[in-house]
C-alpha cells in the first residue's frame, strides 16, 4: 500500500463525512503493520462536543477490531469538494495516536494523491505524555 493509494482511500472516506455544522469534510486512512487499512470520516453532533474527528474514527475502528500496530495515516480535509490546503490532525487526535503509534509513525496530509506533505508523530507531538510515563 503506497502513499498515493492510502490518500485515495482517505479521499474516498471523506465522502462519508457527516459535517452539517462546520461543513469541513475530513477523511482518513490508517495503515496497520499487517497491511490492512481502516478508514474514517469526521462525525459531527448537534451538541458539538461529541464530534469525532476522522483520524479517531479510523483509529478506534482499528483498535476495536484488535489492531495495535500502525505504520501511517493519510488525512484529507477541507470545505470544498476537493481539499484546497493541508489539514493535519488536531491536538486531541495527535494525543490519541500517540497512545498506539511510535515516534516514527507517519502522518500524511493530502489535497490529492499527487500533492501531500508528510511528518512524523514526534514532529507533530514532541515531548508527548504517553503510556511510558505511567510505567
Ligand atoms: N476535524 C477532523 O476530522 N480532523 C482534524 O484533525 C481536524 C478537525 C473535523 C472536526 C470537525 O468535524 C471539523 O473537522 C471542523 O473542526
Amino acid at each position: 500500500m503506497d502513499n498515493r493509494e492510502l490518500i485515495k482511500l482517505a479521499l474516498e472516506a471523506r465522502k462519508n463525512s457527516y459535517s452539517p455544522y462546520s461543513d469541513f469534510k475530513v477523511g482518513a486512512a490508517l495503515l496497520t503493520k499487517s497491511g490492512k487499512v481502516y478508514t474514517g470520516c469526521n462525525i459531527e453532533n448537534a451538541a458539538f462536543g461529541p464530534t469525532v474527528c476522522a483520524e479517531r474514527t479510523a483509529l478506534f475502528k482499528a483498535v476495536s477490531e484488535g489492531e495495535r500496530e500502525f505504520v501511517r495515516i493519510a488525512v484529507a480535509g477541507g470545505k470544498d469538494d476537493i481539499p484546497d490546503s493541508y489539514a493535519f490532525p488536531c491536538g486531541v487526535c495527535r494525543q490519541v495516536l500517540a497512545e498506539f503509534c511510535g515516534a516514527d509513525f507517519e502522518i500524511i496530509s493530502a489535497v490529492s494523491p499527487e500533492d501531500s506533505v508528510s511528518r512524523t508523530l514526534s514532529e507533530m507531538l514532541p515531548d508527548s505524555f504517553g503510556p511510558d510515563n505511567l510505567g
Side-chain angles (χ1 to χ4, degrees):
M1 171 67 55
D2 66 16
N3 284 3
R4 282 168 172 248
E5 288 303 313
L6 201 63
I7 291 166
K8 280 185 199 167
L9 292 174
L11 289 165
E12 198 57 35
R14 186 173 175 264
K15 293 179 184 164
N16 292 326
S17 166
Y18 176 76
S19 42
Y21 306 107
S22 73
D23 200 33
F24 194 85
K25 300 173 266 298
V26 188
L30 175 67
L31 179 66
T32 70
K33 248 186 195 163
S34 60
K36 272 189 174 178
V37 176
Y38 291 82
T39 59
C41 64
N42 56 329
I43 304 168
E44 298 189 342
N45 187 277
F48 290 11
T51 292
V52 180
C53 294
E55 297 89 327
R56 271 175 290 151
T57 303
L59 183 71
F60 291 160
K61 278 171 68 178
V63 171
S64 71
E65 298 292 323
E67 302 287 352
R68 292 292 185 273
E69 295 189 304
F70 304 100
V71 179
R72 66 179 67 97
I73 192 168
V75 183
K79 287 201 168 189
D80 299 326
D81 281 347
I82 297 168
D84 64 353
S85 61
Y86 304 124
F88 280 102
C90 76
V92 172
C93 287
R94 292 178 199 197
Q95 180 66 31
V96 172
L97 286 166
E99 185 70 25
F100 296 97
C101 308
D104 294 336
F105 178 80
E106 190 184 2
I107 297 169
I108 302 159
S109 179
V111 299
S112 74
E114 294 74 36
D115 184 0
S116 65
V117 288
S118 210
R119 308 260 189 277
T120 63
L121 182 57
S122 61
E123 286 175 316
M124 304 240 67
L125 191 69
D127 302 321
S128 63
F129 184 87
D132 290 349
N133 291 97
L134 299 179

